Every structure is written in C-alpha cells, then in structure tokens.
C-alpha cells in the first residue's frame, strides 16, 4: 500500500528555498612537478552545515592534479556557501544531512565543475571535468543540540 505522506527528504525539499549560492574562498597552488604529463586526480568534497534562522551549507572541494610520476602539478581548493530559508517546522539533522547528499549536490556541482574547467584551462593543464553525478559529499559537521 502506497502512502500519500511525503518522505522526510521530500518534505525538506519542498520547505527549503535557496537564497544564495556563492563562491566563498578559493586557492590554487602550483606544484613542483617538472613534467606536466597528466596523471591521477584526487578529488574530495566535504560539506558542513548549520541551522538556526536558516539552513547554511558550506561545500569545500579539493582537487589535486598529479603528473604521470605522481608529483603534484596543482591543487585547486574552493568553498561554496549555500543559504536556504524555509517554511514549516525546523528540519531534523538527518533531513539536513540527506539534503546535502542529494539536492544540494545537484545545485552546487555545476559551479564546482565550471570553476575546475576554468582553472585547469588557465593553468595550462589538460582540461578536467568533474562527472555530473559521480561524486557524493562527505558530511563533516552535524549541529550539536542547544543547551537547555
């Protein structure tokens, strides 16, 4: 029997309204590699969040580009801040975390992809394109309950 009640993630998806999504900080570090023959790319995407009057996510992406010998060519780090207002009851931490793994990534990944494509081009590296839906974020921070 199918329930007409929305799941927790659906109800949060309906409640959250994106107010802003901005590139907060970025850093590009050129490595010491002598040759630029492309090698491995290490990618890490982490999310922290807080909820008070609104829900704020900080998405940090780090991409290390190695040459074929394993030496660092460049490291590109960027953080993005997404702020959401919401109507309805305060969302549970689990709902906020689930949103970070799904809808948030759909909204933020195009910005990460464009930034990486632009920066690798500017650095003269082989263009790198992050797969559209291949990377899930690791949620690093869960809000602590307020002291009563």
């Amino acid at each position: 029997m199918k329930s007409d009640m929305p799941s927790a993630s659906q109800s949060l998806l309906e409640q959250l309204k994106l107010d802003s999504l901005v590139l907060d900080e970025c850093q590009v570090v050129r490595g010491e590699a002598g040759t630029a023959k492309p090698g491995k790319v290490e990618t890490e995407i982490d999310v922290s969040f807080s909820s008070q009057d609104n829900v704020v996510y900080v998405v940090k992406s780090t991409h290390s580009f190695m040459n074929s010998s394993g030496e660092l060519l460049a490291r590109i780090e960027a953080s993005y801040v997404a702020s959401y207002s919401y109507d309805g009851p305060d969302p549970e931490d689990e709902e906020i975390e689930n949103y970070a793994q799904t809808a948030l990534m759909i909204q933020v990944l195009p910005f990460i992809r464009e930034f990486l494509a632009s920066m690798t081009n500017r650095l003269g590296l082989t263009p790198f394109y992050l797969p559209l839906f291949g990377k899930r974020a690791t949620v690093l921070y869960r809000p602590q309950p307020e002291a009563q």
Side-chain angles (χ1 to χ4, degrees):
M1 179 187 218
K2 189 175 178 181
S3 171
D4 290 333
M5 292 292 293
S7 70
S9 61
Q10 286 175 326
S11 74
L12 185 60
L13 189 59
E14 293 167 359
Q15 290 177 35
L16 290 181
K17 177 185 170 214
L18 181 62
D19 292 328
S20 64
L21 174 55
V22 296
L23 174 63
D24 185 38
E25 295 180 353
C26 60
Q27 178 180 11
V28 178
V29 176
R30 194 61 125 145
E32 297 293 323
T35 64
K37 184 175 179 186
K40 182 178 176 183
V41 178
E42 296 174 358
T43 298
E44 187 175 324
I45 299 176
D46 300 313
V47 177
S48 59
F49 65 89
S50 65
S51 62
Q52 309 249 323
D53 295 335
N54 56 3
V55 176
V56 176
Y57 292 97
V58 176
V59 179
K60 182 178 180 184
S61 68
T62 304
H63 307 273
S64 298
F65 298 84
M66 311 299 186
N67 68 9
S68 58
S69 301
E71 299 169 303
L72 182 67
L73 289 168
R75 184 174 48 255
I76 301 172
E77 298 177 4
S79 64
Y80 305 81
V81 177
S83 178
Y84 298 84
S85 56
Y86 60 91
D87 295 322
D90 288 349
E92 298 290 326
D93 291 351
E94 184 178 336
E95 290 179 293
I96 295 171
E97 187 173 330
N98 288 340
Y99 191 88
Q101 292 287 339
T102 55
L104 175 67
M105 287 297 99
I106 291 170
Q107 294 168 341
V108 175
L109 276 176
F111 293 92
I112 295 173
R113 292 176 81 230
E114 174 57 32
F115 185 72
L116 284 174
S118 175
M119 292 311 301
T120 53
N121 184 45
R122 290 176 185 216
L123 289 167
L125 298 175
T126 301
F128 172 77
Y129 300 98
L130 186 66
L132 188 55
F133 296 111
K135 188 71 179 165
R136 290 180 59 101
T138 302
V139 179
L140 297 175
Y141 174 75
R142 295 184 181 132
Q144 301 299 316
E146 294 180 22
Q148 302 271 345

